[in-house]
Amino acid sequence: ARLQGVLLRVLQEKEVHRIGAQSNLAVDCRVLAATNKDLHALMEHNEFRPDLYFRLNIFRLKVPPLRDRQEDIRLLAQHFIRKYAELYRIRPVELNQQEQEDLLRYSWPGNVRELENTMQRYVMLSDVGPVTLKECIDDAPMFSGPPLAADNEHYLIRRAPLEEMERELVSQCTARHGGNRTSAADELDISRSTLWKKLQ
């Protein structure tokens, strides 16, 4: 909270005071802030300052999770294959039809960073011997049936202890509702406070 106040003052006053300096130093900067948290919920719990939120919230861009951008998954996978094949100076591998389907069946909880790491691993191991895409994914059992339906009526939930599966479902549902926890709680038929607890 103290650092939030410091940042707010910098944004408002457009000056900073360096340690050991005799006077303030004017700054002219633009701030690009990113988060995967529900800032409205954090403000309700006094964990994020509303005045800082409204100071930062001038232009907002929402980037959906990778699992909600299936049209990007194959393109990104091919990009990372070419990138690491060139880096390691080996022949680019080609994803077969089954592996392309696996790309869409996996929920990618780590988003683009996880996809990149997976494709890097895939390229490296393919130079050693035969390898499948599933073998290169951190948690291969995290596949759950057919690809996500076009009507978005289904969720992809990885196999895990019940508590983790519940948290994953709540997280996906909240993301699908654009971070609106009230709407997500209504769809899941649970209270907003219960939804909040399951996300912790």
Side-chain angles (χ1 to χ4, degrees):
R2 187 183 68 83
L3 290 178
Q4 291 180 26
V6 171
L7 177 58
L8 179 62
R9 283 194 297 275
V10 171
L11 295 175
Q12 289 177 337
E13 306 298 333
K14 294 183 171 55
E15 60 182 22
V16 296
H17 187 88
R18 293 185 295 184
I19 296 176
Q22 299 298 317
S23 60
N24 292 341
L25 177 67
V27 294
D28 182 12
C29 63
R30 296 181 180 179
V31 176
L32 177 64
T35 181
N36 60 356
K37 304 293 184 182
D38 183 345
L39 295 183
H40 289 284
L42 292 178
M43 286 189 289
E44 288 180 9
H45 289 78
N46 297 318
E47 296 179 25
F48 197 89
R49 293 180 57 139
D51 47 1
L52 177 57
Y53 172 81
F54 291 115
R55 173 63 67 176
L56 291 170
N57 190 27
I58 296 174
F59 181 79
R60 182 170 57 183
L61 178 64
K62 178 175 174 56
V63 180
L66 187 58
R67 61 178 170 269
D68 292 340
R69 295 182 284 132
Q70 291 202 339
E71 67 278 5
D72 294 341
I73 294 177
R74 289 178 182 172
L75 293 175
L76 286 168
Q78 294 294 344
H79 166 72
F80 292 134
I81 286 175
R82 291 193 299 270
K83 172 182 176 179
Y84 289 105
E86 182 178 346
L87 177 64
Y88 300 126
R89 298 182 181 180
I90 59 180
R91 182 177 180 180
V93 290
E94 293 186 8
L95 296 168
N96 60 38
Q97 184 62 37
Q98 180 61 54
E99 290 173 326
Q100 292 185 42
E101 293 176 3
D102 288 342
L103 281 172
L104 303 183
R105 291 177 56 220
Y106 185 62
S107 62
W108 300 108
N111 289 305
V112 176
R113 185 175 293 108
E114 181 186 10
L115 176 61
E116 179 173 5
N117 291 343
T118 299
M119 302 321 295
Q120 180 181 7
R121 188 179 305 120
Y122 183 64
V123 170
M124 293 171 64
L125 293 178
S126 66
D127 191 47
V128 178
V131 63
T132 65
L133 178 64
K134 278 189 177 182
E135 293 173 314
C136 297
I137 295 178
D138 286 335
D139 296 299
M142 293 173 68
F143 289 84
S144 52
L148 192 63
D151 58 8
N152 283 338
E153 291 181 351
H154 299 87
Y155 292 97
L156 291 173
I157 306 297
R158 64 188 179 90
R159 294 177 184 174
L162 181 59
E163 183 177 345
E164 293 182 23
M165 293 176 67
E166 286 182 343
R167 184 162 51 248
E168 177 70 15
L169 173 60
V170 171
S171 176
Q172 287 190 33
C173 184
T174 303
R176 180 171 296 180
H177 285 274
N180 188 318
R181 299 194 175 192
T182 300
S183 298
D186 288 342
E187 177 179 332
L188 296 172
D189 196 24
I190 59 177
S191 68
R192 199 171 186 279
S193 61
T194 299
L195 182 142
W196 171 264
K197 291 177 183 177
K198 290 187 180 297
L199 286 174
Q200 300 306 303

